[in-house]
Amino acid sequence: MFSLPARTPGRASAATRSSALLLDRERTKRRLADDQFDVLVIGGGITGVYTALDAVSRGLRTALVEKDDFASGTSSKSSKMVHGGLRYIEQGNVNLVRHSLLERHRFRKNAPHLVHRLPFLFPILEKEGVFDPRLAKGFEGLLWTYDLVGGWRIGKLHQRLTVPQVLAHAPTLRSEHLSGGLMYFDSRADDARLTLTVARTAAALGATILNGARVDALLTTGGKARGARAVIDGDEVEIRAHAVVNATGVWSDRVDAMADERHADRVRPAKGVHIVVPWHKVRIDCTVTVPIPGRARRATCTRWGDTVVLGTTDNDYQGSPDDVHCTRPEMEFLLEGARTAFDADLTPDDVLGSIGGLRPLVAGKEGATLDMSRDHHITVGPTGMVSVTGGKLTTSRHMGELVIDKVLGVLGRKARSRTVRLPLLGGAGYDAEAVAASGGLAAHLGERYGTEARFVHDLIAEDPDLARPVVAGLPYTRAEVVYAARAELARSVDDVLSRRLRARLFARDASAEAAPEVGALLGRELGLTGAEVERQVSDYLADVRHEKAVLFEEPEGAAA
C-alpha cells in the first residue's frame, strides 16, 4: 500500500528530550532495593532489554538486572545483521522470514541511526563457487520469494550483476571463473550499541535498569516467583516484583534451575566466531558471500569502516559460556575462505580482532546446529516465572512483546504493546542521509547516537580536548568515554572498549594501548581510586592477552 512521506517526525515520547538522559548507578541501586515492581527482567541482552521496554511502555513498573554488562553475552557477538534470514527460505521456513522482514522494517523505522541498509553479493562462478550458473537460476527464485514476502520494504529489489558490476563492488575478487553475480539487500547494526540503546530507551520511560547485578537466587512467596536476590557492587539486594522474566540466553537453564530443581536443560549452545582484517586486503563495499572449500557452510565478508569482518561458524559448544573465544582452527577456517575467494594474502598476523559467541538454540541433541530453527520459545514455569530462549536479534522486539503478553497473564492484567512504532532514543526525526552527507565527526556521532549526538557535541564544546581520538586509527573520541560513564552506565575499561566503542573488536592491540587513558577518564568521572583504575586496566590487558593466546595458540605470557 502506497503512502506519502510524513510531514513531521511523529510522536516519539522519550526520544525527543531537551536534556541528556544521565543514569546514576547509586540512585538506581536504591530504587532496586526500595521499590516494588510489577516485573523484574533478568538478563541484559537484546531480548531482555526489549522485554523491559515493552513492559514499561505498557505502564508496568519495570526493573532489569544484568550480571555483567548490557550485551556482554551473545548480543555483542552476533553477525550484526538485522535480516530476514535468506537460508530459512532454503529450509522451508517462509513464515519466519516473512515475520523477520517485517521486524527488520520496524527496526529501520524506529532506529534509523543504528540500522542501515546493506547490499549482499553472491558471486556466480563457473566452478568452485557458492553458485554455478545453473544453481544461480534456482537461487534467484529464492530471492524473488524473499523480495515478495517483505524484502521489498527496504526500497530495493534483488539485482543480477554482470562481471564488471561484480568487480566494481569487489575488485579483489578472483575473476578467473566469475560469470556474474546476484545482489539483494538487508540491514546491519552494531549489536551492542543497539542493545544499549533499547535499554536506555526503557530507562527514559521509567524502567529501573542496572548492569553488574548478579542474581544468585529467586524470591518466592507461596511457591510463586516474587523477585530475586542480587549481588550489586558487593552488596546483597532483594528486588521485589510480582512477576519475573528469565531472559538470560545461554545461561537460562541456570536461572530456571533456581526456580525448579527438577528443571531439565533445554538450551543447546551453538558457537559462532568472527574475525576482523584490514579493508585494504579485501577491498569490498558490501557483504560478499564466499564458499569454504570442502564445506557446506558459506562465509560472509562485510566491510565495516576500514576493516572487513569475516564470519561465521556454527558448531556445537561444550565449554563454559563465560569464556568463549575464536580459536586458531576457526580463524584459519575463515581466512581460508577469504583467500580462496579473493586475491588476498591474508595471514593470522592480519587479524585485528576476533569474537566468539553462543546462540541459545532450543532443540534436541541430534542434527547440525546450522539446520536448527531460530524460532523463539516462551514458557511459564511452575513458579510463574516466564522464560524466553532462542530467537534472533531481528525478532527481539516481537519476542519482548510476546513475553510481556505472558507476564500480563501471570499478573491478571491487560495492556496493549506499544513498541511497534516506538522510536529508540536518537531515532525520532533522524535523517540518516543528511547526517551521512555532513561527513566528519557529525556523521560518526550521528551513526552511533542519532539525534542524541548533540549531547556528545556539548561535551566537546565545554572541553575541546575531548574531541581527540582515544584509540589510534579509530574515530572514537574521548568525549564518548565521558558520555559512556555519565549516561550509559559504563563501569569499567572493558565496558567502554569492548562494547561502548567496539574498539577491542576492530583494533584489539590499539585498544590495549588506549586502556590507561580510558581508565584515567573513567576514574575522573566515576570517582575511582588510582588503585581501582590500575586494576581495571590490568584486567583489560589480561583479557586481551587471553583472547590472543586462544586465537594464536600461544602461552598467555607470549601473547603481547
Side-chain angles (χ1 to χ4, degrees):
M1 181 177 179
F2 177 77
S3 59
L4 292 171
R7 296 179 60 241
T8 63
R11 292 180 298 175
S13 62
T16 53
R17 295 172 298 104
S18 59
S19 59
L21 171 68
L22 303 180
L23 300 179
D24 183 273
R25 186 170 184 82
E26 292 303 319
R27 183 164 57 244
T28 301
K29 286 169 59 178
R30 290 194 296 270
R31 288 179 62 185
L32 288 173
D34 297 342
D35 290 2
Q36 172 80 47
F37 299 96
D38 293 316
V39 58
L40 167 65
V41 181
I42 305 172
I46 187 64
T47 303
V49 297
Y50 238 127
T51 297
L53 178 57
D54 191 275
V56 72
S57 66
R58 297 200 207 193
L60 299 180
R61 290 183 60 83
T62 303
L64 179 146
V65 291
E66 159 59 39
K67 71 181 180 70
D68 188 357
D69 187 27
F70 306 110
S72 58
T74 305
S75 296
S76 61
K77 302 174 178 70
S78 74
S79 294
K80 297 165 182 52
M81 302 300 174
V82 180
H83 65 146
L86 190 62
R87 67 185 174 90
Y88 305 136
I89 290 183
E90 298 177 80
Q91 296 172 355
N93 197 345
V94 177
N95 286 334
L96 175 60
V97 174
R98 178 184 294 108
H99 182 68
S100 296
L101 288 171
L102 178 59
E103 290 299 319
R104 181 192 71 180
H105 176 67
R106 289 166 174 165
F107 258 128
R108 284 174 50 79
K109 297 282 285 186
N110 292 334
H113 54 313
L114 299 173
V115 182
H116 308 129
R117 186 169 65 195
L118 178 69
F120 280 68
L121 172 62
F122 288 89
I124 301 173
L125 304 177
E126 294 292 345
K127 62 179 181 177
E128 298 178 349
V130 176
F131 305 111
D132 60 29
R134 179 180 57 84
L135 290 175
K137 291 181 179 179
F139 188 76
E140 190 167 15
L142 294 180
L143 292 177
W144 275 118
T145 302
Y146 199 73
D147 286 341
L148 292 173
V149 301
W152 59 270
R153 290 189 179 93
I154 208 164
K156 285 180 174 288
L157 301 179
H158 78 272
Q159 304 168 1
R160 261 193 174 272
L161 303 181
T162 64
V163 170
Q165 289 172 327
V166 170
L167 294 177
H169 289 287
T172 58
L173 193 69
R174 295 188 186 276
S175 59
E176 48 265 39
H177 303 301
L178 186 65
S179 63
L182 292 167
M183 179 172 279
Y184 78 106
F185 298 86
D186 253 316
S187 297
R188 75 167 190 194
D190 178 339
D191 48 3
R193 178 142 294 277
L194 182 63
T195 301
L196 177 65
T197 304
V198 177
R200 295 186 69 249
T201 306
L205 292 179
T208 302
I209 65 169
L210 194 66
N211 51 354
R214 185 187 74 246
V215 168
D216 282 347
L218 296 179
L219 304 179
T220 59
T221 301
K224 297 299 181 183
R226 291 293 183 262
R229 185 170 64 245
V231 177
I232 306 173
D233 301 335
D235 299 323
E236 194 172 88
V237 176
E238 289 194 349
I239 307 167
R240 295 167 295 139
H242 297 298
V244 178
V245 172
N246 173 12
T248 55
V250 293
W251 294 270
S252 62
D253 283 324
R254 294 182 185 179
V255 178
D256 280 336
M258 293 180 189
D260 181 6
E261 61 183 16
R262 296 169 298 178
H263 170 76
D265 289 353
R266 296 177 300 165
V267 174
R268 180 180 171 187
K271 182 182 180 185
V273 303
H274 296 79
I275 60 175
V276 175
V277 299
W279 174 79
H280 70 265
K281 291 267 185 168
V282 185
R283 301 200 314 273
I284 57 178
D285 65 2
C286 57
T287 289
V288 181
T289 301
V290 301
I292 302 293
R295 308 288 184 95
R297 177 75 180 178
R298 301 189 290 263
T300 58
C301 307
T302 301
R303 181 171 184 177
W304 201 293
D306 291 331
T307 66
V308 172
V309 180
L310 310 181
T312 178
T313 60
D314 198 318
N315 300 297
D316 272 309
Y317 180 77
Q318 303 297 330
S320 168
D322 299 308
D323 186 27
V324 185
H325 295 282
C326 180
T327 65
R328 183 160 194 132
E330 290 165 334
M331 172 182 65
E332 294 284 9
F333 170 80
L334 294 172
L335 289 175
E336 180 186 10
R339 286 192 298 261
T340 299
F342 295 93
D343 184 12
D345 181 24
L346 286 170
T347 71
D349 290 340
D350 293 313
V351 177
L352 304 173
S354 64
I355 50 172
L358 302 177
R359 304 175 184 89
L361 304 183
V362 181
K365 301 300 181 182
E366 301 299 323
T369 57
L370 180 62
D371 299 325
M372 290 170 59
S373 171
R374 266 51 177 176
D375 287 324
H376 57 264
H377 295 255
I378 302 171
T379 58
V380 180
T383 64
M385 182 172 71
V386 180
S387 294
V388 54
T389 48
K392 303 166 52 189
L393 172 70
T394 309
T395 57
S396 56
R397 186 216 62 83
H398 187 237
M399 289 165 63
E401 176 184 338
L402 296 179
V403 169
I404 297 305
D405 285 345
K406 292 287 189 184
V407 168
L408 289 173
V410 171
L411 297 175
R413 295 170 59 174
K414 293 183 178 180
R416 291 179 56 189
S417 176
R418 301 180 181 277
T419 54
V420 166
R421 296 181 180 84
L422 179 64
L424 302 185
L425 282 181
Y430 180 78
D431 188 330
E433 289 188 7
V435 173
S438 66
L441 181 61
H444 163 70
L445 295 179
E447 288 190 354
R448 290 172 48 73
Y449 304 96
T451 57
E452 298 267 292
R454 66 189 187 275
F455 302 129
V456 183
H457 284 292
D458 287 345
L459 293 174
I460 295 173
E462 295 170 6
D463 181 359
D465 189 53
L466 294 179
R468 287 196 295 110
V470 70
V471 180
L474 296 180
Y476 307 116
T477 63
R478 300 171 82 245
E480 291 168 81
V481 179
V482 173
Y483 189 75
R486 295 183 185 179
E488 298 178 342
L489 287 174
R491 307 156 298 148
S492 69
V493 170
D494 183 58
D495 286 352
V496 172
L497 289 172
S498 292
R499 287 169 294 280
R500 302 303 184 279
L501 303 188
R502 305 319 303 270
R504 179 167 167 179
L505 174 60
F506 294 109
R508 177 195 56 232
D509 294 344
S511 79
E513 293 174 0
E517 183 174 5
V518 171
L521 289 168
L522 286 178
R524 186 181 68 189
E525 291 298 320
L526 302 179
L528 304 177
T529 66
E532 288 172 324
V533 170
E534 185 177 343
R535 178 186 56 78
Q536 286 197 13
V537 172
S538 178
D539 287 348
Y540 184 78
L541 297 180
D543 286 345
V544 168
R545 286 195 299 271
H546 178 57
E547 175 187 328
K548 294 178 69 174
V550 174
L551 186 66
F552 298 116
E553 295 183 344
E554 299 173 347
E556 297 209 14

